[in-house]
Amino acid sequence: MSDIKKILETLRTNQDIAQNFFEIELSILSILNFKDLFERLLTEIKEKFEIPYVWISIIDNSEVYNLTEALTSSKTLKERLNFIDRKTFTNLTGNKAKPVLINNNLKAFYKLMPQKHKYLIRSLAIAPLTVDGEIIGSLNQADHSEQRFQPDMDTILLEQLAIKISICLSNVIAHEKLKLLAFRDPLTGLLNRRVMDDALNREFGLTKRYATPLSLIYLDIDGLKIVNDRYGHDIGDDLLKYVAIHLEYMSREGDIVARVGGDEFIIILPYTTTKNAHNLTSRFENFFRENPMDTQETSIPVSISFGIASTEDKTISEAESLLKKADTMLYHAKKLKSERYSTNLCH
């Protein structure tokens, strides 16, 4: 009977561990910048598994290295992100992608450890991280106890987490490269249509895989042509920039804001229901209603129309149909607004 209890207890423990790994994975997959990715990852591993020391090692001159040098300005990362030369790293890990667990002879691994804590560590787990097949560093966990990370332990969940982190790193690198290569709308500084399409396909794939909501706002500026005709295209461009700045400012860090046409914008909202997407558009409408764009000559009212689509709609089966549905909803909103305007003129 006691053996059965031990088996059941082990199963429950393994389920809890697997659930924690899944929650961490879900938490980081939509993050598109290094700072938030590393801070979230390190904090959640430390808290969920109660591990005293968790840090990231990055190999000098790897693809990630040049994009992460500035991260040492983050207080959270300053002591939890360290850089190491490739030869030293390879000597320690054997240049293998499999996790390594060590609980003796740790002195050889001091170069991998945070300097102020290295003498307190009694066991260590190193999970190599890869980008495009190249090892670029590792996720490291350490404990005061020699029993925490024993060489004969199963590392399959840690290996799977390392793979997911590597996928996230690839996504972040791609995102950072897009920014560096200026794949942005030159007028507003927002992401352009090409980048938006890639981001939408990526986010749609994630929302399908993890059964989380994804919403999309298709938005345009009412009367931009009238502004251009009355005040000139320079003022029209200022209006586009004014709207773009505030759309991005009022959106969350993980939201994706793009300009996709003359006066059209798209906002991709990961982990967002239709209701919350409507709440955001209400904030937009209220802000622009109360804050016209002031110029040297006059104050120009700002009006927007929008259409919303969400994966909560079970008829939506692909990213393109999500986009088309939001476009259709925008069309209906514009038509209704036009009809109301015509009715008011008649009265």
Side-chain angles (χ1 to χ4, degrees), residues 9-209:
E9 185 177 344
T10 300
L11 286 173
R12 281 193 293 269
T13 300
N14 289 341
Q15 287 176 346
D16 290 342
I17 292 173
Q19 180 62 30
N20 283 336
F21 273 114
F22 177 78
E23 289 174 0
I24 293 170
E25 175 187 332
L26 187 60
S27 174
I28 64 174
L29 276 172
S30 66
I31 298 176
L32 291 177
N33 67 83
F34 285 112
K35 179 177 177 294
D36 289 347
L37 173 63
F38 290 148
E39 286 186 347
R40 179 85 61 83
L41 175 67
L42 295 173
T43 299
E44 294 217 356
I45 291 177
K46 184 179 177 68
E47 292 177 353
K48 288 184 181 293
F49 293 104
E50 298 181 349
I51 296 175
Y53 308 113
V54 186
W55 72 99
I56 297 280
S57 295
I58 301 295
I59 295 175
D60 293 351
N61 299 319
S62 64
E63 187 166 13
V64 175
Y65 175 77
N66 293 329
L67 297 171
T68 58
E69 283 184 287
L71 292 183
T72 51
S73 61
S74 163
K75 184 177 180 181
T76 303
L77 294 177
K78 197 166 187 178
E79 296 181 354
R80 302 171 72 182
L81 183 68
N82 73 307
F83 300 97
I84 185 170
D85 66 89
R86 183 171 294 278
K87 184 178 180 180
T88 301
F89 186 89
T90 300
N91 289 340
L92 292 173
T93 64
N95 204 34
K96 297 176 182 177
K98 296 282 186 181
V100 178
L101 306 183
I102 311 103
N103 65 353
N104 58 64
N105 298 322
L106 292 178
K107 188 173 182 180
F109 293 87
Y110 281 178
K111 291 182 180 179
L112 189 67
M113 298 178 188
Q115 294 303 306
K116 64 184 291 187
H117 300 310
K118 61 185 179 182
Y119 300 112
L120 303 175
I121 291 171
R122 295 293 177 267
S123 64
L124 173 66
I126 305 170
L129 304 173
T130 63
V131 172
D132 296 331
E134 178 189 14
I135 296 176
I136 53 85
S138 60
L139 167 67
N140 312 296
Q141 304 171 68
D143 199 276
H144 307 294
S145 170
E146 294 181 5
Q147 307 304 313
R148 186 63 182 264
F149 300 111
Q150 301 179 54
D152 60 347
M153 287 181 169
D154 187 357
T155 61
I156 184 65
L157 291 176
L158 183 57
E159 185 176 350
Q160 289 175 356
L161 178 62
I163 291 172
K164 299 303 186 300
I165 297 170
S166 295
I167 292 172
C168 290
L169 286 173
S170 294
N171 287 340
V172 173
I173 288 171
H175 186 72
E176 294 293 340
K177 280 185 174 179
L178 289 179
K179 289 195 294 185
L180 291 174
L181 293 172
F183 281 137
R184 290 182 173 269
D185 171 51
L187 177 64
T188 63
L190 296 179
L191 300 175
N192 62 23
R193 179 61 184 257
R194 175 183 172 186
V195 180
M196 186 282 299
D197 285 336
D198 290 341
L200 179 58
N201 286 320
R202 180 187 64 247
E203 294 299 334
F204 196 89
L206 290 174
T207 200
K208 282 295 183 183
R209 180 175 181 180

Side-chain angles (χ1 to χ4, degrees), residues 124-312:
L124 173 66
I126 305 170
L129 304 173
T130 63
V131 172
D132 296 331
E134 178 189 14
I135 296 176
I136 53 85
S138 60
L139 167 67
N140 312 296
Q141 304 171 68
D143 199 276
H144 307 294
S145 170
E146 294 181 5
Q147 307 304 313
R148 186 63 182 264
F149 300 111
Q150 301 179 54
D152 60 347
M153 287 181 169
D154 187 357
T155 61
I156 184 65
L157 291 176
L158 183 57
E159 185 176 350
Q160 289 175 356
L161 178 62
I163 291 172
K164 299 303 186 300
I165 297 170
S166 295
I167 292 172
C168 290
L169 286 173
S170 294
N171 287 340
V172 173
I173 288 171
H175 186 72
E176 294 293 340
K177 280 185 174 179
L178 289 179
K179 289 195 294 185
L180 291 174
L181 293 172
F183 281 137
R184 290 182 173 269
D185 171 51
L187 177 64
T188 63
L190 296 179
L191 300 175
N192 62 23
R193 179 61 184 257
R194 175 183 172 186
V195 180
M196 186 282 299
D197 285 336
D198 290 341
L200 179 58
N201 286 320
R202 180 187 64 247
E203 294 299 334
F204 196 89
L206 290 174
T207 200
K208 282 295 183 183
R209 180 175 181 180
Y210 294 100
T212 55
L214 174 69
S215 294
L216 184 145
I217 301 171
Y218 210 135
L219 179 149
D220 79 358
I221 302 173
D222 299 322
L224 179 63
K225 184 177 185 304
I226 295 173
V227 173
N228 284 331
D229 292 344
R230 183 174 299 175
Y231 301 104
H233 284 271
D234 287 345
I235 298 299
D237 287 348
D238 288 342
L239 178 57
L240 284 165
K241 289 186 281 189
Y242 180 78
V243 170
I245 288 169
H246 292 291
L247 290 180
E248 191 163 43
Y249 178 77
M250 287 187 282
S251 298
R252 301 168 305 181
E253 177 74 27
D255 297 339
I256 298 162
V257 185
R259 182 188 177 202
V260 295
D263 61 352
E264 295 179 337
F265 301 85
I266 282 176
I267 306 175
I268 302 170
L269 305 167
Y271 306 103
T272 304
T273 62
T274 306
K275 179 181 178 181
N276 288 335
H278 275 287
N279 290 340
L280 180 58
T281 56
S282 294
R283 286 180 58 207
F284 290 153
E285 287 185 305
N286 292 336
F287 175 84
F288 289 124
R289 186 184 304 116
E290 297 170 5
N291 296 275
M293 185 183 76
D294 293 325
T295 69
Q296 291 182 347
E297 299 178 359
T298 186
S299 182
I300 299 176
V302 182
S303 174
I304 58 173
S305 295
F306 59 87
I308 294 174
S310 170
T311 53
E312 292 176 310

